[in-house]
Amino acid sequence: MTGRVRSGDPGWRIYPASLRDIETVVDAAGLDRFALFGMSQGGGAAVKYAAQHQERVTHVIILGGYLQGSYYADRDSTRYEEYEVRQRLLKLAWAVDHPPYQQVFATELIPDGTTEQIKWLTDLQRISSTGENAARLREGYSQINVLEEAAHLAVPTLVLHARDDMAVSFERGRRLATSIPGARFVPLESKNHILLPSESAWQQFWHHFYAFLGIPEGMYRDSLHHASATSTLSRFAGLTLREREVLHLLARGYRNDEIAATLVLSAKTVRNYVSRIFDKLGVSSRGEAIVLAKESGFG
């Protein structure tokens, strides 16, 4: 049957292997009681493990997770047809050197990522697995079903989900939360399945994460600020000298025609520079670019 994983395939062994991985780490660390965090398909593994070991797990936190994979959740919808198309594209993307194919999956995970971030994730995906294995793993993830475990989970649970997540729909995250008795659901204002340090949702996630665990803000505030600042600096580091000159004038409120006159460039060239600057900084408007530039000393 289409969508069903055969015994012996990597996908068929995903959950038993995930649970063994958790058990191995916990035992090696000598932990008696601990909080458990799961992201994306790892959310299902966290629910399953916590349901089986409720005496050991103090809290469960899930980001971008879901209750059931596509095989169950989307079986009778056009989304399952989309899933099957993506499976074929996944194998093709690994087989040919064609960036538009290869970037589909990275763009789905970080649609607001910069060109460099999307390229980095695309490269990471390709070197981490073969196309065949990637497709089989994805097929395994489609088999996730923790409906029963979620209903019996009595551990304090926090579920966070990006409102415009393009990889796992917001409604699937909400359904996961409502299926766990007493779970708290927190929407995050983002399109990214993998949150980026440069976006406000990153800060929101960590604030909710630590607050749920009862950790005072003073113990983590500096590390969050450092991560955000490091991310911002890395984006500016990717600008060329000319792009920095354009950004400097942009931050001072210059219009494109004024920038062109000052730097002796054509209007079209300035537009191209501004577009590249937006892309590298991960912003979508002139106002965002100006605010970010001024905060970093431009202008």
Side-chain angles (χ1 to χ4, degrees):
M1 182 182 294
T2 302
R4 181 160 292 174
V5 182
R6 299 185 305 276
S7 175
D9 278 353
W12 184 82
R13 298 195 297 267
I14 284 174
Y15 257 178
S18 296
L19 297 181
R20 285 197 301 272
D21 287 345
I22 295 174
E23 290 168 354
T24 299
V25 171
V26 168
D27 291 342
L31 301 176
D32 292 323
R33 287 177 59 75
F34 52 90
L36 196 56
F37 169 66
M39 178 179 171
S40 195
Q41 65 271 5
V47 168
K48 197 171 186 71
Y49 180 90
Q52 294 176 359
H53 303 276
Q54 304 206 42
E55 75 288 352
R56 301 188 71 181
V57 180
T58 61
H59 301 76
V60 174
I61 302 176
I62 299 170
L63 172 63
Y66 47 94
L67 192 68
Q68 295 177 307
S70 298
Y71 182 82
Y72 299 97
D74 302 325
R75 190 63 179 166
D76 298 321
S77 71
T78 55
R79 286 189 62 84
Y80 191 78
E81 183 178 350
E82 178 186 342
Y83 159 78
E84 292 186 312
V85 170
R86 285 176 176 273
Q87 283 293 87
R88 292 193 291 272
L89 179 59
L90 187 61
K91 295 177 183 179
L92 181 62
W94 259 256
V96 299
D97 185 17
H98 190 51
Y101 287 172
Q102 298 163 4
Q103 292 175 6
V104 165
F105 302 97
T107 303
E108 183 180 51
L109 295 173
I110 48 171
D112 281 341
T114 64
T115 300
E116 288 81 4
Q117 288 169 329
I118 290 174
K119 183 180 184 303
W120 171 83
L121 183 54
T122 299
D123 291 343
L124 177 65
Q125 289 174 325
R126 292 200 71 199
I127 65 176
S128 298
S129 174
T130 64
E132 184 67 27
N133 264 354
R136 292 164 78 183
L137 286 169
R138 190 178 177 94
E139 189 173 2
Y141 298 148
S142 79
Q143 304 283 314
I144 289 173
N145 185 0
V146 291
L147 187 62
E148 182 177 347
E149 290 86 350
H152 294 95
L153 185 59
V155 175
T157 302
L158 172 66
V159 178
L160 306 101
H161 209 100
R163 194 179 296 278
D164 298 309
D165 191 328
M166 295 182 65
V168 178
S169 73
F170 184 70
E171 286 308 313
R172 291 176 72 184
R174 191 203 301 272
R175 186 179 177 221
L176 171 61
T178 57
S179 298
I180 300 173
R184 182 184 173 200
F185 183 60
V186 177
L188 300 173
E189 301 304 323
S190 177
K191 295 179 181 178
N192 298 315
H193 187 63
I194 300 175
L195 299 179
L196 301 173
S198 57
E199 59 181 326
S200 61
W202 168 274
Q203 301 282 339
Q204 294 168 9
F205 165 73
W206 285 111
H207 283 307
H208 285 292
F209 182 99
Y210 286 118
F212 186 66
L213 296 177
I215 298 174
E217 184 177 353
M219 294 182 65
Y220 64 83
R221 184 175 53 240
D222 289 346
S223 62
L224 287 186
H225 176 74
H226 175 73
S228 179
T230 300
S231 174
T232 299
L233 287 174
S234 66
R235 286 184 288 170
F236 282 106
L239 298 178
T240 65
L241 178 59
R242 180 62 88 181
E243 287 166 350
R244 286 173 174 271
E245 291 174 338
V246 171
L247 183 59
H248 176 71
L249 296 176
L250 197 68
R252 294 179 64 182
Y254 280 43
R255 300 189 307 270
N256 281 7
D257 60 333
E258 293 174 321
I259 295 174
T262 301
L263 299 179
V264 194
L265 300 170
S266 70
K268 181 180 179 181
T269 298
V270 171
R271 285 198 303 272
N272 290 338
Y273 275 126
V274 171
S275 178
R276 286 201 294 269
I277 289 169
F278 282 11
D279 188 49
K280 289 184 177 182
L281 296 185
V283 300
S284 57
S285 71
R286 203 177 189 90
E288 287 181 86
I290 290 174
V291 169
L292 195 61
K294 284 184 172 294
E295 289 177 348
S296 300
F298 285 83

